[in-house]
Amino acid sequence: MNLPGCITRGCIVLLMTGSLVFAQAPAKPAPVFPPELVKTGESSFVQQCAFCHGRDTGGGEDGPDLTRSKLVAEDVEGNQIGPVVRNGRNKMPRFTVTDGELAALAAFIHTRKSIAESQKGGRKGVDASDLTTGNIDQGKKYFNGAGKCNTCHSPTGDLAGVATRHDGLKLLERLMYPHGAKAKMTVTLPSGETVTGSRAYLDEFTVALRDASGRYRSWPAARVKVQVDDPAEAHVDLLAKYTDDDIHNLMTYLSTLK
């Protein structure tokens, strides 16, 4: 009898069997918390966190969807959530909470995560990867061609690093509905003199701008001629021209500008 061979074959069988056992091991059950603790956590969350993360922790004004958060998934009894709550992170301010309050917050967040994962249907959140399913080369071609984006923007100039500053939906929002872009205004006075600056105010009664020195100047609209160069108007015009492919390709290309 070849004992070493038997032992070797036995080890192989054991390892294979063990691999199957580990492969078929059930997923870790979701933690369950006392209802009163969850209720207390909900009250605190709604008061302090809901504005950014939504009342159901599914994402809000600026905060991410906590039901799909990697940090929450790795949290055990508040060991990951606690430092972020108490120290803050990025735009999130720090909060002063007791150990009991933190335990209640963690219980509510984990409970909402379990509820979200048990529901069927599409998810609420949108990953950055969901918005970059287009063709990079076609997006670059549209940027420099039909979209005429390169007449105002440069991937090595104002758009350098744009995908780092704005990610996912934020980048899409900047693409579709840009805000904060200053419009240039040229005002021709009755004397023929022209004054140029950034638009400060404009309606049917009043025209106002800030000139190169920062001086605020205004005139009655009926007495002057006004020419406005608003870079955001080009984005508005494109809304009626975009195809789905154009948007996906352009977003995919812009996402490479890091």
Side-chain angles (χ1 to χ4, degrees):
M1 182 177 184
N2 188 347
L3 188 58
C6 291
I7 293 174
T8 302
R9 287 192 293 274
C11 290
I12 293 174
V13 172
L14 179 61
L15 288 172
M16 291 179 65
T17 305
S19 298
L20 290 174
V21 170
F22 282 116
Q24 295 172 1
K28 182 181 178 181
V32 179
F33 303 91
E36 59 274 15
L37 185 64
V38 175
K39 190 68 176 177
T40 300
E42 179 180 14
S43 178
S44 297
F45 189 92
V46 168
Q47 292 178 26
Q48 303 182 69
C49 316
F51 179 78
C52 289
H53 294 288
R55 293 178 65 92
D56 61 354
T57 74
E61 185 70 19
D62 291 308
D65 179 353
L66 297 182
T67 67
R68 305 181 65 241
S69 165
K70 184 174 183 289
L71 182 143
V72 172
E74 296 175 348
D75 179 82
V76 178
E77 298 182 354
N79 69 334
Q80 300 290 326
I81 295 173
V84 176
V85 171
R86 286 172 166 161
N87 300 320
R89 178 175 293 182
N90 298 329
K91 294 182 180 180
M92 177 177 165
R94 64 180 63 186
F95 294 90
T96 302
V97 295
T98 65
D99 289 346
E101 291 169 334
L102 178 60
L105 276 172
F108 173 67
I109 293 170
H110 280 291
T111 299
R112 291 306 313 177
K113 175 178 173 62
S114 298
I115 292 173
E117 291 175 344
S118 68
Q119 294 174 340
K120 297 180 180 180
R123 65 178 187 264
K124 181 178 178 181
V126 177
D127 282 337
S129 58
D130 297 327
L131 304 174
T132 56
T133 57
N135 182 285
I136 295 175
D137 292 334
Q138 289 299 316
K140 183 176 182 179
K141 182 178 179 180
Y142 186 84
F143 183 93
N144 294 312
K148 299 181 180 179
C149 310
N150 63 335
T151 59
C152 295
H153 304 287
S154 167
T156 57
D158 63 317
L159 294 185
V162 67
T164 301
R165 298 191 299 273
H166 306 287
D167 188 33
L169 285 173
K170 291 292 184 183
L171 180 59
L172 179 61
E173 180 183 7
R174 296 288 296 182
L175 167 64
M176 305 296 287
Y177 309 103
H179 56 84
K182 293 184 179 180
K184 295 180 180 179
M185 179 184 289
T186 299
V187 177
T188 302
L189 307 182
S191 64
E193 177 189 358
T194 60
V195 182
T196 303
S198 60
R199 181 178 60 192
Y201 189 80
L202 177 64
D203 64 15
E204 63 269 36
F205 304 108
T206 305
V207 174
L209 57 73
R210 288 193 181 278
D211 61 22
S213 67
R215 177 187 174 191
Y216 183 91
R217 303 183 64 179
S218 65
W219 302 267
R223 296 185 55 195
V224 297
K225 294 181 179 179
V226 182
Q227 181 179 350
V228 179
D229 179 14
D230 188 348
E233 288 184 359
H235 289 255
V236 175
D237 292 340
L238 282 173
L239 291 176
K241 302 175 182 178
Y242 283 130
T243 66
D244 285 345
D245 285 343
D246 291 336
I247 295 174
H248 281 93
N249 293 338
L250 188 54
M251 268 295 296
T252 303
Y253 169 63
L254 292 176
S255 296
T256 67
L257 305 181
K258 297 181 178 181

